[in-house]
Amino acid sequence: QLQFVESGGGLVQPGGSLRLSCAASGGILDPFAVGWFRQAPDKEREAVSCLSRSDGRTYYADSVKGRFTISRDNAKRTIYLQMTSLKPEDTAVYYCAATLEPYVCTETRSFGSWGQGTQVTVSS
């Protein structure tokens, strides 16, 4: 089974940018749809973005649409989340995960191979 390690989080000011990376090990990424999820204090884990395995179909939560971009590099076995125009409400622990298709991005419990997460804090 795949294992993931997230990185790239940190403290940024509102309006700033971060690029998160998720390195996979234990297998190739090609067969899987991949996603980024986040969990803020006192809230449930929510889907941020998902990317299908081959056809480029994406999902973005309404709260991040137009600001975040998900991508993948199967050769590098890495998933990325480019985050721009960050807002305080983006503060959360961000996780990556994978699942076989077909899938629904918002059905977070169907995803396996979760990483440990990376903290993103947006504050002045």
Side-chain angles (χ1 to χ4, degrees):
Q1 296 293 324
L2 290 177
Q3 298 181 12
F4 293 106
V5 177
E6 299 93 340
S7 63
L11 174 64
V12 297
Q13 295 185 352
S17 300
L18 283 174
R19 189 178 77 157
L20 306 184
S21 297
C22 176
S25 62
I28 61 174
L29 276 179
D30 305 59
F32 300 97
V34 296
W36 284 95
F37 305 81
R38 67 187 182 188
Q39 187 166 18
D42 301 321
K43 293 185 178 181
E44 294 186 355
R45 189 171 299 183
E46 65 175 350
V48 175
S49 180
C50 290
L51 175 62
S52 64
R53 68 178 181 88
S54 61
D55 62 8
R57 291 181 179 270
T58 58
Y59 164 86
Y60 292 98
D62 289 341
S63 59
V64 308
K65 195 172 299 181
R67 300 188 296 118
F68 291 9
T69 302
I70 188 171
S71 61
R72 63 194 293 169
D73 187 331
N74 288 341
K76 295 182 178 179
R77 302 184 183 184
T78 304
I79 310 159
Y80 304 97
L81 185 68
Q82 180 67 51
M83 306 185 296
T84 62
S85 302
L86 284 162
K87 304 175 180 179
E89 51 262 45
D90 295 319
T91 296
V93 178
Y94 284 71
Y95 303 87
C96 59
T99 190
L100 293 174
E101 296 181 342
Y103 73 100
V104 178
C105 188
T106 54
E107 294 180 355
T108 60
R109 292 181 178 87
S110 68
F111 282 75
S113 302
W114 293 93
Q116 292 298 114
T118 185
Q119 176 72 48
V120 173
T121 303
V122 185
S123 177
S124 298

Coordinates of all heavy atoms in Angstrom, one line a residue, residues 81-114:
L81 N 0.0 20.8 -4.1 CA -1.1 21.8 -3.9 C -0.5 23.2 -3.9 O 0.1 23.5 -2.9 CB -1.9 21.5 -2.7 CG -3.2 22.3 -2.5 CD1 -4.2 22.0 -3.6 CD2 -3.8 22.1 -1.1
Q82 N -0.7 23.9 -4.9 CA -0.3 25.3 -5.0 C -1.4 26.2 -4.4 O -2.5 26.2 -4.9 CB 0.0 25.7 -6.4 CG 0.5 27.2 -6.5 CD 1.8 27.4 -5.9 OE1 2.8 26.7 -6.2 NE2 1.9 28.4 -5.0
M83 N -1.1 26.9 -3.3 CA -2.1 27.7 -2.6 C -1.7 29.2 -2.8 O -0.5 29.5 -2.4 CB -2.2 27.3 -1.2 CG -2.5 25.8 -1.0 SD -2.7 25.4 0.8 CE -1.1 25.8 1.4
T84 N -2.6 30.0 -3.2 CA -2.3 31.4 -3.4 C -3.5 32.2 -2.7 O -4.5 31.6 -2.4 CB -2.2 31.8 -4.8 OG1 -3.5 31.6 -5.5 CG2 -1.1 31.1 -5.5
S85 N -3.2 33.5 -2.5 CA -4.2 34.3 -1.8 C -4.8 33.7 -0.6 O -6.0 33.7 -0.3 CB -5.4 34.6 -2.8 OG -4.9 35.2 -4.0
L86 N -3.9 33.2 0.3 CA -4.3 32.5 1.5 C -5.0 33.4 2.4 O -4.7 34.6 2.6 CB -3.1 31.9 2.1 CG -2.5 30.6 1.4 CD1 -1.1 30.3 1.9 CD2 -3.5 29.4 1.7
K87 N -6.0 32.8 3.1 CA -6.9 33.5 4.1 C -6.7 32.8 5.4 O -6.4 31.6 5.5 CB -8.3 33.4 3.6 CG -8.6 33.9 2.2 CD -10.0 33.7 1.8 CE -10.3 34.3 0.4 NZ -11.7 34.0 0.1
P88 N -7.0 33.5 6.5 CA -6.9 32.9 7.8 C -7.8 31.6 7.9 O -7.4 30.7 8.6 CB -7.4 34.0 8.7 CG -7.1 35.3 8.0 CD -7.3 35.0 6.6
E89 N -8.9 31.6 7.3 CA -9.7 30.4 7.3 C -9.2 29.2 6.6 O -9.7 28.1 6.7 CB -11.1 30.7 6.8 CG -11.1 31.4 5.4 CD -11.3 32.9 5.5 OE1 -10.6 33.5 6.3 OE2 -12.1 33.4 4.7
D90 N -8.0 29.4 5.9 CA -7.3 28.2 5.3 C -6.4 27.5 6.3 O -5.9 26.5 6.0 CB -6.5 28.7 4.1 CG -7.3 29.2 3.0 OD1 -8.3 28.6 2.7 OD2 -6.9 30.2 2.4
T91 N -6.3 28.1 7.5 CA -5.5 27.5 8.6 C -6.0 26.1 8.9 O -7.2 26.0 9.3 CB -5.5 28.4 9.8 OG1 -4.8 29.6 9.5 CG2 -4.7 27.7 10.9
A92 N -5.2 25.1 8.8 CA -5.6 23.7 9.1 C -4.3 22.8 8.9 O -3.3 23.3 8.4 CB -6.7 23.3 8.1
V93 N -4.5 21.6 9.3 CA -3.5 20.6 9.0 C -4.0 20.0 7.6 O -5.1 19.6 7.5 CB -3.5 19.5 10.0 CG1 -2.5 18.4 9.6 CG2 -3.0 20.1 11.3
Y94 N -3.1 19.9 6.7 CA -3.4 19.5 5.3 C -2.8 18.1 5.1 O -1.7 17.8 5.4 CB -2.8 20.4 4.3 CG -3.6 21.7 4.1 CD1 -3.6 22.7 5.1 CD2 -4.4 21.9 3.0 CE1 -4.4 23.8 5.0 CE2 -5.1 23.1 2.8 CZ -5.1 24.0 3.8 OH -5.9 25.2 3.7
Y95 N -3.7 17.2 4.6 CA -3.4 15.8 4.3 C -3.5 15.5 2.9 O -4.4 16.0 2.2 CB -4.3 14.9 5.1 CG -4.3 15.1 6.6 CD1 -5.1 16.0 7.2 CD2 -3.5 14.4 7.5 CE1 -5.2 16.2 8.6 CE2 -3.5 14.6 8.8 CZ -4.3 15.5 9.4 OH -4.4 15.7 10.7
C96 N -2.7 14.5 2.4 CA -3.0 13.9 1.1 C -3.4 12.5 1.2 O -3.1 11.9 2.3 CB -1.7 14.1 0.2 SG -0.3 13.3 0.8
A97 N -4.1 12.0 0.2 CA -4.6 10.6 0.2 C -4.8 10.2 -1.2 O -4.8 11.0 -2.1 CB -5.8 10.5 1.1
A98 N -5.1 8.9 -1.3 CA -5.4 8.3 -2.6 C -6.5 7.3 -2.6 O -6.8 6.7 -1.5 CB -4.1 7.7 -3.2
T99 N -7.1 7.1 -3.7 CA -8.1 6.1 -3.8 C -8.3 5.6 -5.3 O -7.9 6.3 -6.2 CB -9.5 6.6 -3.3 OG1 -10.4 5.6 -3.2 CG2 -10.0 7.7 -4.3
L100 N -8.8 4.4 -5.4 CA -9.1 3.9 -6.8 C -10.3 4.6 -7.3 O -11.2 5.0 -6.5 CB -9.2 2.4 -6.7 CG -8.0 1.6 -6.4 CD1 -8.4 0.1 -6.3 CD2 -6.9 1.8 -7.5
E101 N -10.4 4.7 -8.6 CA -11.6 5.2 -9.2 C -12.6 4.1 -9.5 O -12.2 3.0 -9.7 CB -11.2 6.0 -10.5 CG -10.4 7.2 -10.2 CD -10.0 7.9 -11.5 OE1 -10.1 7.4 -12.6 OE2 -9.6 9.1 -11.3
P102 N -13.9 4.4 -9.6 CA -14.5 5.7 -9.5 C -14.5 6.2 -8.0 O -14.4 5.4 -7.1 CB -16.0 5.5 -10.0 CG -16.2 4.1 -9.6 CD -14.9 3.4 -9.9
Y103 N -14.7 7.5 -7.8 CA -14.6 8.0 -6.5 C -15.4 9.3 -6.4 O -15.7 9.9 -7.5 CB -13.1 8.3 -6.1 CG -12.6 9.5 -6.8 CD1 -12.5 10.8 -6.2 CD2 -12.1 9.4 -8.1 CE1 -11.9 11.9 -6.9 CE2 -11.6 10.5 -8.8 CZ -11.5 11.7 -8.2 OH -11.0 12.8 -8.9
V104 N -15.7 9.8 -5.2 CA -16.3 11.1 -4.9 C -15.4 11.7 -4.0 O -15.1 11.2 -2.9 CB -17.7 10.9 -4.4 CG1 -18.3 12.3 -4.1 CG2 -18.6 10.2 -5.4
C105 N -14.8 12.9 -4.3 CA -13.8 13.6 -3.5 C -14.3 13.9 -2.1 O -13.5 13.8 -1.2 CB -13.4 14.8 -4.2 SG -11.9 15.6 -3.5
T106 N -15.6 14.2 -2.0 CA -16.1 14.6 -0.7 C -16.3 13.5 0.2 O -16.6 13.7 1.4 CB -17.3 15.5 -0.8 OG1 -18.3 14.7 -1.6 CG2 -17.0 16.8 -1.5
E107 N -16.3 12.3 -0.3 CA -16.4 11.1 0.6 C -15.1 10.7 1.1 O -14.4 9.8 0.7 CB -17.1 9.9 -0.2 CG -18.5 10.2 -0.6 CD -19.1 9.1 -1.4 OE1 -18.4 8.1 -1.7 OE2 -20.3 9.2 -1.7
T108 N -14.7 11.5 2.1 CA -13.3 11.4 2.6 C -13.0 10.0 3.3 O -11.8 9.6 3.2 CB -13.0 12.5 3.7 OG1 -13.9 12.4 4.8 CG2 -13.2 13.8 3.0
R109 N -14.0 9.4 3.8 CA -13.7 8.1 4.5 C -13.4 7.0 3.5 O -12.8 5.9 3.9 CB -15.0 7.7 5.3 CG -15.2 8.6 6.5 CD -16.4 8.1 7.3 NE -16.6 8.9 8.5 CZ -17.3 10.0 8.5 NH1 -17.9 10.5 7.4 NH2 -17.5 10.7 9.6
S110 N -13.7 7.2 2.2 CA -13.3 6.2 1.2 C -11.9 6.2 0.8 O -11.4 5.3 0.1 CB -14.2 6.3 0.0 OG -13.9 7.5 -0.7
F111 N -11.1 7.3 1.2 CA -9.7 7.4 0.8 C -8.9 6.7 1.8 O -9.1 6.7 3.0 CB -9.3 8.9 0.8 CG -9.7 9.6 -0.5 CD1 -11.1 10.0 -0.7 CD2 -8.8 9.9 -1.4 CE1 -11.4 10.6 -1.8 CE2 -9.2 10.6 -2.6 CZ -10.5 10.9 -2.8
G112 N -7.9 6.0 1.3 CA -6.9 5.4 2.2 C -5.5 6.0 2.0 O -5.4 7.0 1.3
S113 N -4.5 5.4 2.5 CA -3.1 5.8 2.4 C -2.9 7.3 2.8 O -2.3 8.0 2.1 CB -2.7 5.6 0.9 OG -2.8 4.3 0.5
W114 N -3.5 7.6 3.9 CA -3.4 9.0 4.4 C -2.0 9.3 4.9 O -1.3 8.4 5.5 CB -4.3 9.2 5.6 CG -5.8 9.2 5.2 CD1 -6.6 8.2 5.2 CD2 -6.5 10.3 4.7 NE1 -7.9 8.5 4.8 CE2 -7.9 9.9 4.5 CE3 -6.2 11.7 4.5 CZ2 -8.9 10.7 4.0 CZ3 -7.2 12.5 4.0 CH2 -8.5 12.0 3.8

